[in-house]
C-alpha cells in the first residue's frame, strides 16, 4: 500500500507544469514562460532553487531556443 501511494505521489509531482517547477524569485516570469520548453527538454531533472536551473541553462547555452536565450540575456541587464 505504501509503495502504491509513493508511486501515485511521484506521478502527480511529475505532471507539474515546467513553469511551476522553475518557481522561485531568481527567475522572472517572462523567462519562465519563454524557456518552458527548454526547461522540459534540458533541465527537467534539476531541482529548482539556489540558481541550479539558471546554471543548467548556462551549461546548455548552445542548445536553448533563440527565444529562451534572448530572455536569459535580458535577465543579465
Amino acid at each position: 500500500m505504501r509503495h502504491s501511494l509513493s508511486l501515485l505521489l511521484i506521478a502527480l509531482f511529475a505532471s507539474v507544469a515546467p513553469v511551476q517547477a522553475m518557481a522561485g524569485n531568481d527567475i522572472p516570469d517572462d523567462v519562465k514562460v519563454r524557456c518552458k520548453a527548454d526547461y522540459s527538454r534540458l533541465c527537467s531533472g534539476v531541482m529548482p532553487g539556489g540558481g541550479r536551473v539558471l546554471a543548467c541553462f548556462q551549461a546548455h547555452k548552445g542548445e536553448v531556443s533563440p527565444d529562451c536565450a534572448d530572455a536569459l540575456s535580458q535577465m543579465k541587464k
Side-chain angles (χ1 to χ4, degrees):
M1 177 71 172
R2 197 177 257 182
H3 182 70
S4 297
L5 180 59
S6 295
L7 290 176
L8 176 63
L9 289 174
I10 290 170
L12 286 173
F13 286 116
S15 66
V16 173
V19 171
Q20 290 174 330
M22 287 191 287
N25 294 332
D26 56 338
I27 301 177
D29 289 340
D30 66 317
V31 175
K32 291 176 190 175
V33 171
R34 294 171 69 185
C35 295
K36 177 181 176 180
D38 296 281
Y39 175 81
S40 293
R41 184 171 50 89
L42 301 168
C43 302
S44 62
V46 175
M47 180 68 128
R52 289 183 289 267
V53 172
L54 292 176
C56 179
F57 283 139
Q58 180 66 29
H60 294 280
K61 65 183 174 186
E63 300 171 65
V64 297
S65 67
D67 192 37
C68 180
D70 181 58
L72 292 168
S73 71
Q74 296 296 318
M75 260 183 68
K76 297 178 184 178
K77 294 180 181 178

